[in-house]
Amino acid sequence: QKEVEQNSGPLSVPEGAIASLNCTYSDRGSQSFFWYRQYSGKSPELIMFIYSNGDKEDGRFTAQLNKASQYVSLLIRDSQPSDSATYLCAVNGRMDSSYKLIFGSGTRLLVRP
Amino acid sequence: GAVVSQHPSRVICKSGTSVKIECRSLDFQATTMFWYRQFPKQSLMLMATSNEGSKATYEQGVEKDKFLINHASLTLSTLTVASAHPEDSSFYICSASVGLAGYTDTQYFGPGTRLTVL
């Protein structure tokens, strides 16, 4: 069973701090990795995707990928209360002859004003 | 770009009613569309994968006769919940992918449809 693991949280950080969200995955063949943000009662919104080992930065967000350790993380700099949401890690994997996104259960982030 | 719409956003219906949900990719052609269900405080559960012009592939445990999926064009997929019952009440979310058929590229999600069956 291919799995994506995330700490459910809540991860609580003060406004202006760096929030670090982590994710591990079991399928070594995975090639694409995604971070989605989901506000309560809303659908997921794509934040970033990463394909290669290393860091990828987009504004206040940095995704980090380490395929050898099967680990992907998301850093949020200068966290704002509006960043409070559930962050879903998703990994593409081949199952039953087709590719699908496998989602973690999400980490709830709370940014305190 | 990469905008996905869903209609309706909210449905309240009586038990036994069939409910149709539309998912449209507005500014791109989606080779593959996905349907998910999410219960309160739980993660997304993939129900089925649909490619334009072919039959949907359902996940284990999802009844294909109850959740009818039609992917008529590269921009439209529909999910029909046949004879809905209260246990079908959930948040249904579609997503669309621009990847090659059979390969999952980035998925863009629609805003979701909240179904309440009385």
Side-chain angles (χ1 to χ4, degrees), chain B:
Chain B
V3 178
V4 178
S5 71
Q6 253 182 272
H7 179 79
S9 59
R10 186 179 295 269
V11 179
I12 301 174
C13 67
K14 293 181 180 179
S15 185
T17 305
S18 290
V19 177
K20 185 176 181 179
I21 303 170
E22 288 188 352
C23 176
R24 294 181 184 271
S25 56
L26 297 185
D27 53 358
F28 66 100
Q29 292 187 324
T31 314
T32 307
M33 287 186 170
F34 304 84
W35 287 95
Y36 294 84
R37 181 166 55 180
Q38 188 175 37
F39 293 106
K41 300 193 184 302
Q42 295 187 22
S43 191
L44 295 168
M45 186 192 85
L46 179 65
M47 299 175 67
T49 302
S50 113
N51 292 300
E52 184 262 341
S54 61
K55 288 184 180 179
T57 301
Y58 290 82
E59 295 301 297
Q60 194 171 11
V62 177
E63 300 174 57
K64 58 184 68 175
D65 293 333
K66 181 167 187 63
F67 299 100
L68 306 165
I69 292 172
N70 183 274
H71 195 154
S73 73
L74 285 172
T75 59
L76 173 64
S77 177
T78 59
L79 168 68
T80 300
V81 183
S83 186
H85 291 287
E87 59 266 28
D88 298 322
S89 298
S90 188
F91 191 39
Y92 292 86
I93 314 172
C94 73
S95 71
S97 166
V98 297
L100 296 174
Y103 177 76
T104 300
D105 209 311
T106 305
Q107 288 186 30
Y108 299 92
F109 285 86
T113 298
R114 192 162 301 282
L115 171 63
T116 303
V117 185
L118 303 176

Side-chain angles (χ1 to χ4, degrees), chain A residues 22-37:
Chain A
N22 305 314
C23 172
T24 58
Y25 60 95
S26 63
D27 183 8
R28 283 196 172 275
S30 296
Q31 299 293 321
S32 309
F33 307 86
F34 304 85
W35 283 99
Y36 289 86
R37 176 175 62 197

